[in-house]
Amino acid sequence: QLARYNKSLQEMGFLLGLCTSFGRSTQENDLLIQRIASKAVSQQKFATSDLVWESDTSGTEAVYLMEGALHYQLGNFEADVDEPRWMADMCLWTPWAYLGDASTKEPSGVVLVHVRRFYESIRDCNQMTVAKEYAREYVDEMNRHDAVTELWNCPAGLRQPERTGSLFHYSLGAPTAS
């Protein structure tokens, strides 16, 4: 499963941070990534005009557009997504209800990360401490913005861990103390 989802998972900030810790992957990090790929990730194909997610529903999946194009609408705001990227990944880090609707403009393929199974994978691999720290930093960064939609992506600066003591801290600036 890891080979199938490798490209999309490589772009997920939390996993990128784990993989770059100490400049290489550790056996524990590899196990977590494999567990997430096999237990929490799936692939889905959509026909033209299919609904990928609907506003005012619980955010249960982060979505990576692999191929095709999506149309996003939130009130009068509309945007098209036609390049591979993550969307709605905030539902992995905080309770989230989808704000807008996303539908396909053409036949499209996505990778889905299922929130509940994502948490279970992290828990099963004893990575909750690192995940909680990342979630705190992620939500802090969200709160720095006036408005955040499912199209918002966390800045790249958060994606690089800093090692302090025995914990990794995800930070946009100076290292945080343990």
Side-chain angles (χ1 to χ4, degrees):
Q1 293 290 9
L2 181 57
R4 177 186 295 177
Y5 306 123
N6 195 39
K7 181 184 182 324
S8 57
L9 292 177
Q10 284 179 1
E11 294 182 28
M12 182 178 278
F14 174 67
L15 297 180
L16 178 63
L18 285 176
C19 290
T20 58
S21 59
F22 300 115
R24 62 176 176 79
S25 294
T26 65
Q27 192 172 18
E28 291 168 341
N29 295 345
D30 289 345
L31 177 63
L32 174 61
I33 293 166
Q34 290 172 358
R35 174 75 51 99
I36 289 170
S38 65
K39 302 290 184 191
V41 181
S42 66
Q43 188 173 341
Q44 190 168 347
K45 300 283 186 179
F46 290 92
T48 303
S49 299
D50 279 353
L51 194 61
V52 178
W53 72 75
E54 183 176 12
S55 63
D56 297 323
T57 60
S58 180
T60 58
E61 299 161 334
V63 177
Y64 182 83
L65 179 65
M66 291 183 346
E67 60 187 10
L70 299 181
H71 180 75
Y72 179 81
Q73 183 169 0
L74 173 59
N76 293 329
F77 174 76
E78 295 186 28
D80 292 327
V81 177
D82 57 8
E83 296 290 327
R85 61 165 291 192
W86 282 103
M87 295 168 284
D89 56 323
M90 60 279 299
C91 69
L92 298 174
W93 307 112
T94 190
W96 187 261
Y98 297 118
L99 301 174
D101 295 315
S103 58
T104 54
K105 291 180 60 175
E106 60 189 55
S108 301
V110 300
V111 170
L112 303 169
V113 177
H114 306 276
V115 172
R116 183 183 51 78
R117 290 182 275 177
F118 180 76
Y119 289 145
E120 290 169 357
S121 298
I122 291 171
R123 183 198 63 217
D124 292 349
C125 292
N126 297 315
Q127 295 287 341
M128 288 302 290
T129 302
V130 175
K132 284 179 184 179
E133 180 64 21
Y134 184 86
R136 186 184 64 75
E137 293 286 339
Y138 189 102
V139 171
D140 285 350
E141 182 59 23
M142 284 177 63
N143 289 331
R144 289 183 182 93
H145 298 271
D146 292 333
V148 173
T149 73
E150 292 82 15
L151 300 184
W152 179 79
N153 285 120
C154 198
L158 184 63
R159 298 169 191 252
Q160 300 303 317
E162 297 174 16
R163 172 106 193 228
T164 57
S166 61
L167 299 177
F168 295 102
H169 293 271
Y170 294 80
S171 162
L172 292 170
T176 56
S178 295

